[in-house]
Each structure stands twice: as structure tokens, then as C-alpha cells.
Amino acid sequence: MTVTGIITAIVVGLILGVLGRFFAPGKQSIPLWLTILVGILAAFLGTAIARGLGYADTDGFDWLELITQIVVAAIGVTLTANLYGRRGVTR
């Protein structure tokens, strides 16, 4: 992986993480670095899902792949916010 690939992954992760936070229900109290990490993972996982289902490689822009990535990011942000919020709580 080149430096350009790493920077691109971070930028795409930031965008997907922010979109995931926007579409996730409720308040997400997680830091920006964790949002970026969830977005990067959502990009890879969303692409894998799209390729597995056979709609990742289309002519033009892959809208369905992007929508899949955003949905995965929203789910990831919601799960991460729930887990991150409970880390100091003892019952």
C-alpha cells in the first residue's frame, strides 16, 4: 500500500464515518479518530459485501456500493457508540 492509498483510505473513512454518524439514530459520543476508523472498516466491508453480491463493478459510479458502505458505516457507528459509551460503566 502506498502513501497515497493510505491517505485516500483515511479521507474516504472520514467521509463514510461522518455519513454513518449522520444516518445513525441517536447521539454518538465517540471521538473523531474512532469515527474515521469505523468509516475505513465500513469502506472495506461494504466493498466486500458489494463484490460478494455481484454489484460492485458497474459502468460509471457504483452508487449501490456507496449506499452499502454508508449503511455499514451507520451500523458500525451505532455499535461503536454503544460499546464506547459503556466502557466505564460497572454494574
Side-chain angles (χ1 to χ4, degrees):
M1 181 170 269
T2 64
V3 173
T4 305
I6 293 170
I7 293 171
T8 302
I10 292 170
V11 170
V12 169
L14 175 65
I15 294 168
L16 283 174
V18 169
L19 286 172
R21 281 182 92 147
F22 179 73
F23 287 108
K27 183 181 181 229
Q28 299 81 34
S29 56
I30 59 174
L32 182 61
W33 66 268
L34 196 52
T35 301
I36 294 170
L37 185 62
V38 169
I40 292 170
L41 293 174
F44 287 122
L45 187 58
T47 298
I49 291 170
R51 286 189 181 168
L53 294 176
Y55 61 85
D57 297 321
T58 60
D59 294 334
F61 191 77
D62 293 326
W63 289 104
L64 291 176
E65 182 179 356
L66 177 64
I67 292 169
T68 303
Q69 291 171 333
I70 293 171
V71 168
V72 170
I75 292 169
V77 166
T78 302
L79 291 174
T80 304
N82 286 335
L83 292 173
Y84 189 80
R86 295 182 186 178
R87 64 188 173 125
V89 177
T90 58
R91 292 183 184 193

